[in-house]
Structures are given as structure tokens and as C-alpha cells.
Amino acid sequence: MKKRMGLWTGLAATVVAANVVTGWVHLPTGVSTTTPRAGSGPAATFVPKVERLLQAGIKQGGNKDFSGATRSFRQVLDLDPANKLAWYNLGVVAQHDNRTADARAAYDKALKIDPDFESALYNKAILIGSNDTGQAIEILQHIVGANPKAATAYLHLGQALKKKGRDGEAEDAFGLAVRVDPSLRQLVPEQFRKPASPAPTATQAGTKR
């Protein structure tokens, strides 16, 4: 795995390097993931505070102030221990710093809250891929089963299946990755890289005079 990640984007963005993990996940506009605890104050105050801390942490991370980002996300968890975005973003910080055990623990916390959290699933699969290929395959299969357009997950699935010697399945996964996102073709191992389909001729396209 690369020691430094690229842009702190999100899973929706196309990943163009084979082992780049997904970055910050922002709070969706108009959607709250917080559940106020007893005694934490009115929701009208509680929710905006959590959201401000999340956004502050994301901004700090974007500015490479990772210690500041960690403090902000920890403050979110002091208020809302079940905030999956804070746990996930702590995992991103830890993975950036090559603290793999801490990153995995944070992703697992996020996934305990939301087992289908795609970004956390993807980053966990990348994190464990070299040591536990079988589990990484299961996670990536879960991702593409839920989201057939997850091109980069297909790419990594192909790589993991190839590592296991399951070349037929790997070829299918690589083919699906390229079908969803043709720009990933350059990252497919040459032995699985099918020739690009030529543009249809006028006759093939059924063009009439």
C-alpha cells in the first residue's frame, strides 16, 4: 500500500492509483447522523455542534493538520459515540500515518454502526488485502454486490482474486471494472487486459444510406 494517499475525496470520485484509499466522507447536506444522548442538551444545539466539529476535522485533514483533525473527530465522539463518520475519518487519519491497527479498529467501529458503509468497507479491504486476501475478497464482493458501479472495487477484487489463483473470476472482475470506468484499463494486469473494442463501422452500426 502506498505510504501517502492522494486527494481526500470520497468513494464517488474515480480512484486512478491502484492502492489509494478513499478519503474524508462529509456529512450529507440536510442529513444528520447524530443521536443526542440523555443530558447532552437540546438537539437544536447538539446537532449543529457535531456537524461543525466534523467539518472542522475534515478541513484540518485537508490542510494536513492530522493531530488537529484527530482532536476534532474525538470531540465528535465525546458527544456522539455512535457517529460513524467520525470513526471512519479517524481511520483515514490512522491509515495515512500507517497506523494500520488503529485504522482497522476505527473502520470496524464505523462498520459496527453501519455494516454497509461503503467507504469504510473499501478502505478496510485495501488495509487487510496483503495479509488476509480471503476476507478482502469477501468485503469487495459485498461492495460490488450492493453497488455494481463501484469500478475501483472491481479492480481490487480482480487483483485479490488473481493473488488467490482464481484467474477466471479475476478476468471477470477486471472486465467489469473497465466496463464501468474505461480509464482503469491501464491498471489491469496485461494478461487480463483485453484489446479495446474498435469503433463500429457504418455497416456494423446499421447506418442506412
Side-chain angles (χ1 to χ4, degrees), residues 1-205:
M1 185 176 66
K2 292 194 175 191
K3 291 189 176 182
R4 284 291 177 265
M5 293 179 285
L7 296 176
W8 301 87
T9 54
L11 196 59
T14 300
V15 179
V16 296
N19 287 315
V20 175
V21 302
T22 59
W24 309 122
V25 168
H26 297 252
L27 188 68
T29 303
V31 177
S32 174
T33 62
T34 60
T35 304
R37 295 178 298 172
S40 61
T45 300
F46 174 84
V47 173
K49 183 174 182 179
V50 167
E51 293 178 1
R52 283 196 301 272
L53 286 167
L54 280 171
Q55 298 304 339
I58 290 166
K59 183 176 181 179
Q60 289 164 322
N63 291 330
K64 302 189 184 304
D65 177 10
F66 300 117
S67 60
T70 297
R71 285 194 299 272
S72 293
F73 297 134
R74 288 292 181 189
Q75 285 181 284
V76 171
L77 293 171
D78 286 341
L79 294 168
D80 182 19
N83 192 292
K84 68 177 185 179
L85 300 183
W87 282 117
Y88 167 81
N89 286 323
L90 281 175
V92 172
V93 172
Q95 197 161 357
H96 181 278
D97 287 338
N98 296 313
R99 292 183 286 110
T100 56
D102 290 342
R104 180 168 182 172
Y107 293 142
D108 282 341
K109 289 279 191 179
L111 290 168
K112 186 175 181 180
I113 297 162
D114 179 2
D116 295 319
F117 189 179
E118 189 172 333
S119 294
L121 285 167
Y122 178 86
N123 281 8
K124 181 179 177 179
I126 301 304
L127 190 68
I128 69 174
S130 59
N131 297 319
D132 193 344
T133 308
Q135 188 181 1
I137 288 172
E138 291 178 6
I139 293 172
L140 292 164
Q141 287 174 331
H142 179 85
I143 292 172
V144 298
N147 179 11
K149 294 186 177 181
T152 310
Y154 278 123
L155 179 70
H156 284 289
L157 178 58
Q159 293 168 341
L161 290 166
K162 175 180 178 293
K163 185 177 178 181
K164 282 292 202 179
R166 295 160 61 177
D167 286 1
E169 294 171 84
E171 183 176 6
D172 290 342
F174 286 132
L176 288 166
V178 174
R179 186 182 304 172
V180 175
D181 183 356
S183 71
L184 295 179
R185 183 175 180 275
Q186 61 183 323
L187 300 177
V188 173
E190 190 170 353
Q191 71 186 92
F192 297 100
R193 197 180 301 169
K194 296 180 180 179
S197 300
T201 64
T203 302
Q204 292 171 329

